[in-house]
């Protein structure tokens, strides 16, 4: 497994090794030892699988506040999506900065998103599936959200908000400047 650190501390783009032959291909998507060798020692407790039937479906940006905060390991099972993570750690030198990564089954790319980031995605094709591991259980009373189309985030997603499919909750999400982040930034060793 190959790892590419990003400019956002803790956020890592992972590329599992793919082994192909005449039958197709095989990839090891999660391996505790391999990830530990990359400095990721997260214990995952929940797997989620979401299907979006239409292109331009938006889910997020979501986070869970402590003590239910979650690290996530995200990949695409079918279709195509742009995965988005935004640093919302108070005091972080990259507060409000984001990463966007296109995930497809063909490219096999995964995104490791640590606690302290809001996460979301937009589908690029119908019948897109996202699969992700979480380090903590879902707790509805702990969830928060941020408006994906907040101009302060500077995201150029190539689609207008009015052309997207999103839940009423995501449409009403506050702007980044209107939230009180429950996360504190801590410099790594």
């Amino acid at each position: 497994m190959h790892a590419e650190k990003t400019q956002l501390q803790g956020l890592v783009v992972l590329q599992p090794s793919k082994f192909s032959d005449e039958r197709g291909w095989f990839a090891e998507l999660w391996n505790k030892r391999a990830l530990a060798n990359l400095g990721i020692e997260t214990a995952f407790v929940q797997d989620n699988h979401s299907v979006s039937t239409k292109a331009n479906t938006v889910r997020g940006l979501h986070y869970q506040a402590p003590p239910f905060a979650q690290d996530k390991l995200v990949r695409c099972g079918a279709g195509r999506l742009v995965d988005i993570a935004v640093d919302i750690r108070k005091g972080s030198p990259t507060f409000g900065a984001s990463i966007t990564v296109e995930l497809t089954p063909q490219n096999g790319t995964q995104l490791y998103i640590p606690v302290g980031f809001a996460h979301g995605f937009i589908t690029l094709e119908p019948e897109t599936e996202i699969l992700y591991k979480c380090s903590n259980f879902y707790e509805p009373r702990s969830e928060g959200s941020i408006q994906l189309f907040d101009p302060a985030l500077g995201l150029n997603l190539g689609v207008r908000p009015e052309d997207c499919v999103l839940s009423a909750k995501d449409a009403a999400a506050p702007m980044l400047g209107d939230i009180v982040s429950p996360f504190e930034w801590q410099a790594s060793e």
Side-chain angles (χ1 to χ4, degrees):
M1 185 170 303
H2 173 73
E4 177 187 328
K5 293 187 178 184
T6 68
Q7 71 267 25
L8 305 181
Q9 179 188 314
L11 198 71
V12 181
V13 177
L14 298 168
Q15 194 66 54
S17 299
K18 205 180 249 191
F19 303 94
S20 300
D21 65 19
E22 66 279 353
R23 299 167 296 169
W25 58 267
F26 169 86
E28 194 171 74
L29 303 176
W30 177 79
N31 179 302
K32 183 177 181 177
R33 183 178 33 218
L35 288 177
N37 288 338
L38 297 171
I40 299 171
E41 298 196 39
T42 301
F44 294 107
V45 300
Q46 180 175 316
D47 278 3
N48 298 327
H49 185 168
S50 167
V51 176
S52 298
T53 57
K54 296 181 179 178
N56 298 332
T57 296
V58 170
R59 296 184 190 253
L61 298 161
H62 302 145
Y63 61 90
Q64 284 200 177
F68 297 100
Q70 296 175 326
D71 296 324
K72 294 178 180 175
L73 180 60
V74 182
R75 68 183 180 92
C76 179
R80 286 179 33 223
L81 62 94
V82 172
D83 206 59
I84 303 141
V86 177
D87 185 350
I88 59 169
R89 300 169 293 182
K90 290 186 285 193
S92 169
T94 56
F95 180 86
S98 63
I99 291 288
T100 59
V101 178
E102 185 172 319
L103 305 180
T104 70
Q106 293 76 23
N107 70 20
T109 302
Q110 299 182 75
L111 188 60
Y112 175 76
I113 306 166
V115 166
F117 287 80
H119 170 252
F121 64 91
I122 184 166
T123 63
L124 302 175
E125 295 180 0
E127 302 301 328
T128 292
E129 299 182 22
I130 186 170
L131 299 103
Y132 55 104
K133 296 182 159 314
C134 298
S135 66
N136 210 336
F137 299 104
Y138 172 69
E139 175 51 58
R141 294 171 297 176
S142 181
E143 69 182 352
S145 60
I146 299 167
Q147 179 57 242
L148 180 67
F149 295 101
D150 180 348
L153 298 177
L155 296 170
N156 182 6
L157 300 172
V159 64
R160 300 176 313 167
E162 57 270 21
D163 295 333
C164 291
V165 178
L166 63 162
S167 70
K169 179 177 85 173
D170 287 344
M175 300 295 184
L176 177 63
D178 295 331
I179 69 161
V180 176
S181 177
F183 304 105
E184 294 285 339
W185 178 71
Q186 295 181 11
S188 65
E189 302 299 320

